[in-house]
Amino acid sequence: MTTGVVPALSLFVGVTGHRRVVDEALPALSAQIESVLKRLETEAAGIRRVLLSGLADGPDQLFVELALKRNWEVIASLPMPYADYLADFATEAKREALAKLKAKCAGTIEIPWSAVRDPDPAGAREKQYREHAIFLARHSQVVVAMW
């Protein structure tokens, strides 16, 4: 039998969702997110809980806000460098919301642009979002997808 220091355990939870949510659905979605967070907290009692999120507009940001209120550690995992990611937020208000939420995160991971750039800018962005989904799946024990 080995004795000594046990390394800290962590539960990594990835979150992803569709960017468009109708306002009428927000109360129900918030309640469902709270339920998921409570269940994970119960099942991972005493374990460091880390949320990985791309901070996308919509359910991702709502999930992050609720997790932060419950003292979860949040790491922004962005599908591309932050300066480029900002272009995917249509209004200044949405870009400001992203910046404020990112500032509350414990850290940021930016997936670098693929070495083989697609000559079609839309195709390159799509590839980055795919890489981000793969990153979340590989680095999370639990993935919450909201559509």
Side-chain angles (χ1 to χ4, degrees):
M1 174 182 263
T2 307
T3 60
V5 177
V6 176
L9 298 176
S10 300
L11 171 67
F12 283 84
V13 177
V15 64
T16 186
H18 196 286
R19 287 186 178 216
R20 285 182 235 130
V21 177
V22 294
D23 289 340
E24 299 82 37
L26 288 175
L29 182 58
S30 294
Q32 289 177 326
I33 292 169
E34 287 284 353
S35 176
V36 167
L37 289 168
K38 286 178 188 175
R39 181 173 179 190
L40 291 168
E41 290 166 2
T42 298
E43 293 185 14
I47 296 175
R48 174 180 169 232
R49 294 175 302 272
V50 182
L51 183 67
L52 298 172
S53 171
L55 307 180
D57 189 33
D60 283 37
Q61 288 188 2
L62 179 59
F63 203 108
V64 168
E65 289 169 2
L66 294 172
L68 286 168
K69 285 181 184 176
R70 300 179 70 84
N71 297 314
W72 279 59
E73 182 178 341
V74 177
I75 296 175
S77 61
L78 307 182
M80 62 195 69
Y82 180 68
D84 297 322
Y85 190 46
L86 283 171
D88 290 352
F89 291 77
T91 66
E92 186 60 32
K94 290 182 186 269
R95 289 187 289 275
E96 286 177 18
L98 170 66
K100 286 180 183 175
L101 209 50
K102 182 179 172 285
K104 294 178 183 178
C105 292
T108 302
I109 298 167
E110 297 176 346
I111 297 175
W113 284 102
S114 172
V116 180
R117 292 288 295 262
D118 189 321
D120 171 22
R125 288 188 110 67
E126 186 176 309
K127 184 175 184 179
Q128 288 303 120
Y129 280 99
R130 180 179 175 275
E131 292 301 317
H132 183 252
I134 292 168
F135 174 86
L136 284 179
R138 286 189 176 154
H139 293 87
S140 303
Q141 286 88 20
V142 176
V143 176
V144 178
M146 300 166 286
W147 255 259

